[in-house]
Amino acid sequence: MPEEELIISKEYGAGALSGLALVIRRKVFVDEQNVPLELELDDFDASTTHYIGFTGQAAVTTARVLVTETGAWHIQRVATLPEYRGHGYSSKIMQTIMEDAHEAGVSQLELGAQLVAQTFYEKLGFTPVGETFLDAGIEHIEMIFTIN
């Protein structure tokens, strides 16, 4: 598959983009990783900002951001469709979130990374904190990124 430009769109709350995000998340988390659908579906879609990366007309990668009580941005549900992996699309969506956070004056980003993705986030500058934990039966580690 030839490399295509990734166009990233974002939208707050439940809407067209959150629907596209859910399609990607179902394929990745429910179908591929066997996360129960009832755990993947939650009440946060209505109160998060959804980022979607498009190649052409296809929605191929997603992430969402929840603003915490402390003002930090908690990044969740980072996923890329299997057939579009290896093109740096998740890195691009993460870099967009990091730039948006910087522009918004946010001082810290946080996320719960699957252990298999820890190195990916470390390359982006995230640091692991605390002990590993299980989420949906998958080992995770909390990670933070401090914005200068």
Side-chain angles (χ1 to χ4, degrees), residues 115 118 127-133 140-144:
L115 287 189
Q118 181 176 342
T127 303
V129 293
E131 300 296 319
T132 60
F133 62 94
H140 286 69
I141 183 100
E142 193 70 27
M143 301 187 80
I144 59 168

PDB file of all heavy atoms in Angstrom, residues 115 118 127-133 140-144:
ATOM      1  N   LEU A 115       1.514  -2.451  27.698  1.00  0.00           N
ATOM      2  CA  LEU A 115       2.956  -2.697  27.810  1.00  0.00           C
ATOM      3  C   LEU A 115       3.603  -2.904  26.449  1.00  0.00           C
ATOM      4  O   LEU A 115       4.747  -2.480  26.243  1.00  0.00           O
ATOM      5  CB  LEU A 115       3.235  -3.886  28.723  1.00  0.00           C
ATOM      6  CG  LEU A 115       3.031  -3.653  30.219  1.00  0.00           C
ATOM      7  CD1 LEU A 115       3.553  -4.845  31.010  1.00  0.00           C
ATOM      8  CD2 LEU A 115       3.665  -2.368  30.701  1.00  0.00           C
ATOM      9  N   GLN A 118       4.619   0.483  25.152  1.00  0.00           N
ATOM     10  CA  GLN A 118       5.397   1.376  26.020  1.00  0.00           C
ATOM     11  C   GLN A 118       6.550   2.034  25.274  1.00  0.00           C
ATOM     12  O   GLN A 118       6.763   3.250  25.390  1.00  0.00           O
ATOM     13  CB  GLN A 118       5.916   0.610  27.237  1.00  0.00           C
ATOM     14  CG  GLN A 118       6.711   1.487  28.189  1.00  0.00           C
ATOM     15  CD  GLN A 118       7.141   0.750  29.452  1.00  0.00           C
ATOM     16  OE1 GLN A 118       6.604  -0.298  29.793  1.00  0.00           O
ATOM     17  NE2 GLN A 118       8.113   1.311  30.148  1.00  0.00           N
ATOM     18  N   THR A 127       7.191   9.156  29.921  1.00  0.00           N
ATOM     19  CA  THR A 127       7.943   8.439  30.956  1.00  0.00           C
ATOM     20  C   THR A 127       6.986   7.557  31.755  1.00  0.00           C
ATOM     21  O   THR A 127       5.933   8.041  32.191  1.00  0.00           O
ATOM     22  CB  THR A 127       8.608   9.449  31.925  1.00  0.00           C
ATOM     23  OG1 THR A 127       9.434  10.324  31.160  1.00  0.00           O
ATOM     24  CG2 THR A 127       9.429   8.735  32.977  1.00  0.00           C
ATOM     25  N   PRO A 128       7.341   6.283  31.966  1.00  0.00           N
ATOM     26  CA  PRO A 128       6.475   5.420  32.780  1.00  0.00           C
ATOM     27  C   PRO A 128       6.536   5.807  34.250  1.00  0.00           C
ATOM     28  O   PRO A 128       7.585   6.234  34.741  1.00  0.00           O
ATOM     29  CB  PRO A 128       7.044   4.017  32.547  1.00  0.00           C
ATOM     30  CG  PRO A 128       8.453   4.230  32.103  1.00  0.00           C
ATOM     31  CD  PRO A 128       8.508   5.573  31.446  1.00  0.00           C
ATOM     32  N   VAL A 129       5.399   5.690  34.926  1.00  0.00           N
ATOM     33  CA  VAL A 129       5.333   5.954  36.363  1.00  0.00           C
ATOM     34  C   VAL A 129       4.498   4.865  37.026  1.00  0.00           C
ATOM     35  O   VAL A 129       3.525   4.380  36.456  1.00  0.00           O
ATOM     36  CB  VAL A 129       4.723   7.346  36.675  1.00  0.00           C
ATOM     37  CG1 VAL A 129       5.634   8.461  36.209  1.00  0.00           C
ATOM     38  CG2 VAL A 129       3.350   7.509  36.075  1.00  0.00           C
ATOM     39  N   GLY A 130       4.904   4.473  38.218  1.00  0.00           N
ATOM     40  CA  GLY A 130       4.119   3.508  38.974  1.00  0.00           C
ATOM     41  C   GLY A 130       4.282   2.078  38.504  1.00  0.00           C
ATOM     42  O   GLY A 130       5.194   1.742  37.746  1.00  0.00           O
ATOM     43  N   GLU A 131       3.366   1.269  38.977  1.00  0.00           N
ATOM     44  CA  GLU A 131       3.375  -0.165  38.693  1.00  0.00           C
ATOM     45  C   GLU A 131       2.445  -0.489  37.532  1.00  0.00           C
ATOM     46  O   GLU A 131       1.526   0.275  37.227  1.00  0.00           O
ATOM     47  CB  GLU A 131       2.913  -0.931  39.943  1.00  0.00           C
ATOM     48  CG  GLU A 131       3.782  -0.712  41.172  1.00  0.00           C
ATOM     49  CD  GLU A 131       5.199  -1.232  41.001  1.00  0.00           C
ATOM     50  OE1 GLU A 131       5.373  -2.322  40.421  1.00  0.00           O
ATOM     51  OE2 GLU A 131       6.139  -0.537  41.447  1.00  0.00           O
ATOM     52  N   THR A 132       2.670  -1.648  36.938  1.00  0.00           N
ATOM     53  CA  THR A 132       1.767  -2.084  35.880  1.00  0.00           C
ATOM     54  C   THR A 132       0.402  -2.425  36.483  1.00  0.00           C
ATOM     55  O   THR A 132       0.292  -2.721  37.669  1.00  0.00           O
ATOM     56  CB  THR A 132       2.326  -3.315  35.136  1.00  0.00           C
ATOM     57  OG1 THR A 132       2.485  -4.382  36.056  1.00  0.00           O
ATOM     58  CG2 THR A 132       3.646  -2.997  34.461  1.00  0.00           C
ATOM     59  N   PHE A 133      -0.621  -2.351  35.638  1.00  0.00           N
ATOM     60  CA  PHE A 133      -1.980  -2.657  36.067  1.00  0.00           C
ATOM     61  C   PHE A 133      -2.728  -3.317  34.915  1.00  0.00           C
ATOM     62  O   PHE A 133      -2.320  -3.206  33.754  1.00  0.00           O
ATOM     63  CB  PHE A 133      -2.710  -1.390  36.546  1.00  0.00           C
ATOM     64  CG  PHE A 133      -2.873  -0.334  35.487  1.00  0.00           C
ATOM     65  CD1 PHE A 133      -4.040  -0.259  34.726  1.00  0.00           C
ATOM     66  CD2 PHE A 133      -1.869   0.600  35.244  1.00  0.00           C
ATOM     67  CE1 PHE A 133      -4.187   0.721  33.747  1.00  0.00           C
ATOM     68  CE2 PHE A 133      -2.016   1.585  34.277  1.00  0.00           C
ATOM     69  CZ  PHE A 133      -3.187   1.643  33.528  1.00  0.00           C
ATOM     70  N   HIS A 140      -0.991  -2.778  31.460  1.00  0.00           N
ATOM     71  CA  HIS A 140      -0.760  -1.378  31.123  1.00  0.00           C
ATOM     72  C   HIS A 140       0.223  -0.769  32.118  1.00  0.00           C
ATOM     73  O   HIS A 140       0.444  -1.305  33.197  1.00  0.00           O
ATOM     74  CB  HIS A 140      -2.065  -0.572  31.216  1.00  0.00           C
ATOM     75  CG  HIS A 140      -3.031  -0.818  30.111  1.00  0.00           C
ATOM     76  ND1 HIS A 140      -3.706  -2.001  29.941  1.00  0.00           N
ATOM     77  CD2 HIS A 140      -3.464   0.005  29.122  1.00  0.00           C
ATOM     78  CE1 HIS A 140      -4.500  -1.902  28.892  1.00  0.00           C
ATOM     79  NE2 HIS A 140      -4.374  -0.692  28.381  1.00  0.00           N
ATOM     80  N   ILE A 141       0.744   0.397  31.736  1.00  0.00           N
ATOM     81  CA  ILE A 141       1.565   1.213  32.634  1.00  0.00           C
ATOM     82  C   ILE A 141       1.161   2.666  32.421  1.00  0.00           C
ATOM     83  O   ILE A 141       0.943   3.091  31.284  1.00  0.00           O
ATOM     84  CB  ILE A 141       3.086   1.022  32.386  1.00  0.00           C
ATOM     85  CG1 ILE A 141       3.932   1.825  33.375  1.00  0.00           C
ATOM     86  CG2 ILE A 141       3.493   1.407  30.982  1.00  0.00           C
ATOM     87  CD1 ILE A 141       4.474   1.037  34.497  1.00  0.00           C
ATOM     88  N   GLU A 142       1.027   3.396  33.517  1.00  0.00           N
ATOM     89  CA  GLU A 142       0.730   4.832  33.416  1.00  0.00           C
ATOM     90  C   GLU A 142       1.982   5.550  32.908  1.00  0.00           C
ATOM     91  O   GLU A 142       3.098   5.231  33.316  1.00  0.00           O
ATOM     92  CB  GLU A 142       0.314   5.378  34.788  1.00  0.00           C
ATOM     93  CG  GLU A 142      -0.310   6.741  34.750  1.00  0.00           C
ATOM     94  CD  GLU A 142      -1.700   6.762  34.110  1.00  0.00           C
ATOM     95  OE1 GLU A 142      -2.407   5.754  34.132  1.00  0.00           O
ATOM     96  OE2 GLU A 142      -2.055   7.825  33.574  1.00  0.00           O
ATOM     97  N   MET A 143       1.791   6.517  32.013  1.00  0.00           N
ATOM     98  CA  MET A 143       2.907   7.269  31.466  1.00  0.00           C
ATOM     99  C   MET A 143       2.536   8.749  31.446  1.00  0.00           C
ATOM    100  O   MET A 143       1.362   9.094  31.287  1.00  0.00           O
ATOM    101  CB  MET A 143       3.264   6.784  30.056  1.00  0.00           C
ATOM    102  CG  MET A 143       3.652   5.310  30.016  1.00  0.00           C
ATOM    103  SD  MET A 143       4.268   4.768  28.412  1.00  0.00           S
ATOM    104  CE  MET A 143       5.960   5.375  28.492  1.00  0.00           C
ATOM    105  N   ILE A 144       3.566   9.592  31.606  1.00  0.00           N
ATOM    106  CA  ILE A 144       3.320  11.033  31.580  1.00  0.00           C
ATOM    107  C   ILE A 144       4.313  11.730  30.647  1.00  0.00           C
ATOM    108  O   ILE A 144       5.391  11.217  30.367  1.00  0.00           O
ATOM    109  CB  ILE A 144       3.409  11.664  32.984  1.00  0.00           C
ATOM    110  CG1 ILE A 144       4.782  11.430  33.603  1.00  0.00           C
ATOM    111  CG2 ILE A 144       2.307  11.150  33.894  1.00  0.00           C
ATOM    112  CD1 ILE A 144       5.046  12.250  34.857  1.00  0.00           C
TER     113      ILE A 144
END
